Amino acid sequence: MAGRRVVVTGIGTINPLGHSVEEYFTNLENGVSAAAPITHFDATKFRSRIACEVKDYDWTRYFDRKEVRKYDLFAQFAMISAAEAVRDAALEDEGIDLERVGVVWGSGTGGTTTFYEESKGYIEGNFTPRFSPFFVPRMVSDLAAGFISIKYGFMGPNYCTVSACASSNHAMIDALNLIRWGKADVIVTGGSEASINDPGVGSFCGMQALSTRNDDAAHASRPFDKDRDGFVIGEGGAALVFEEMEHALKRGAKIYCEVAGGGMSADAYHMTAPHPEGKGALISMREAIRDAEMSIEDIDYVNAHGTSTSLGDVAEVKAIKGLFGEHAYKMNISSTKSMTGHLLGGTAAIEALACVMAITKGVIPPTINVENLDPEIDPELNLTLGKAQYREVRAALSNTFGFGGHNSSIIFRKV
């Protein structure tokens, strides 16, 4: 798409593999699994009792008691991720027009912990008839973007995208286009989620979507493996600073890579199951490549949605083969969810970081836990099994698909 070019000038994260980008990518490169028994609540009543929680999290390292009262855990993860990215991009330096800096954030469920605890407390009579005055601000998904803008004084476009697991990819694609269209010069974008709680785990258990490999949590998330039995729920967030290239160059900002293009589509098939032939996924990837004005041969790495579900993994591989043809055998493909679990609306943001770091460091993070490849998946594809692989990555495409048939793909490329 013709228009202003957009680059990444800052990154930040807190997720199951680390409290910073450096820690996260080191663990990705080393093939570390974050899955373990749930500690956030008593999960013994559920079929699935494992998750990828943020380890050793202590909110007092980031917030004072008065401040944290305003934030559900998903918003805490958003604020922490954004703080690292804002520092990395030097957005607090003088001379930046704050009216031209926006925030576009993604979250699929928002403050589910707040909603559950407040509703439970009300029903049980713990504070009848008065809800907390912070109930709504802590619960609604859009307040993560609002809190970030309030902290830093960013007065440009500000909103949240909510499209299940595609939420933060949609947020990043919107951020890309807003800058292209001249609506902003800089946008802090990404996503976060914190749904490892009774309703979050219980609802996905009710759908039989979660792995029940409770006695072997580290090997439970196994995309592309014939013995996969569902995804492992995760939590956390990531932020990326998107900036118009000339604006970044003028102020001497560090540039990681270019945001080349984005694609979106709908399966128009089923409320939770993907199209069995991956038609929507193929359209999404095709449109991202078209939007970037690139060819399929330009893509060196695909970060697959790869959730470790029986239908989704096969459909996505069909879409990749259908679009890329012979070039599919020359690319690397991997699912980093094998290590991080599935962060729902926040997952695309941390996977975008994996793509950015793959480009800047020349490292393809692996797909771990594949012991017996699904016979429906072509064994000649390079799924980066077991160990990281090292190569030049000119461009990386990241897929994220969500319930409702939402498909999204975003491309990052070397500048």
Side-chain angles (χ1 to χ4, degrees), residues 310-321:
S310 59
L311 298 176
D313 294 358
V314 172
E316 184 175 11
V317 169
K318 287 180 179 179
I320 291 170
K321 289 184 64 178

Side-chain angles (χ1 to χ4, degrees), residues 218-341:
H219 299 96
S221 185
R222 45 181 54 229
F224 314 125
D225 189 277
K226 75 177 182 64
D227 297 317
R228 65 194 182 280
D229 68 334
F231 73 85
V232 178
I233 193 170
E235 64 180 1
L240 299 91
V241 175
F242 285 9
E243 186 166 354
E244 193 271 325
M245 180 181 279
E246 293 302 318
H247 187 274
L249 291 171
K250 184 176 180 180
R251 69 184 189 91
K254 171 176 54 183
I255 293 176
Y256 286 94
C257 61
E258 183 175 2
V259 192
M264 298 176 280
S265 71
D267 279 342
Y269 175 74
H270 188 272
M271 63 181 179
T272 57
H275 191 286
E277 299 302 317
K279 288 185 177 180
L282 187 153
I283 294 169
S284 178
M285 291 186 286
R286 184 192 70 203
E287 292 307 303
I289 292 170
R290 182 177 295 172
D291 183 50
E293 298 181 344
M294 298 170 68
S295 68
I296 59 173
E297 290 81 13
D298 294 325
I299 306 297
D300 291 323
Y301 171 48
V302 172
N303 186 293
H305 185 54
T307 58
S308 191
T309 55
S310 59
L311 298 176
D313 294 358
V314 172
E316 184 175 11
V317 169
K318 287 180 179 179
I320 291 170
K321 289 184 64 178
L323 177 64
F324 288 96
E326 287 302 311
H327 184 67
Y329 300 94
K330 300 175 184 179
M331 305 186 304
N332 277 80
I333 303 165
S334 73
S335 171
T336 48
K337 288 186 182 72
S338 60
M339 295 172 276
T340 66

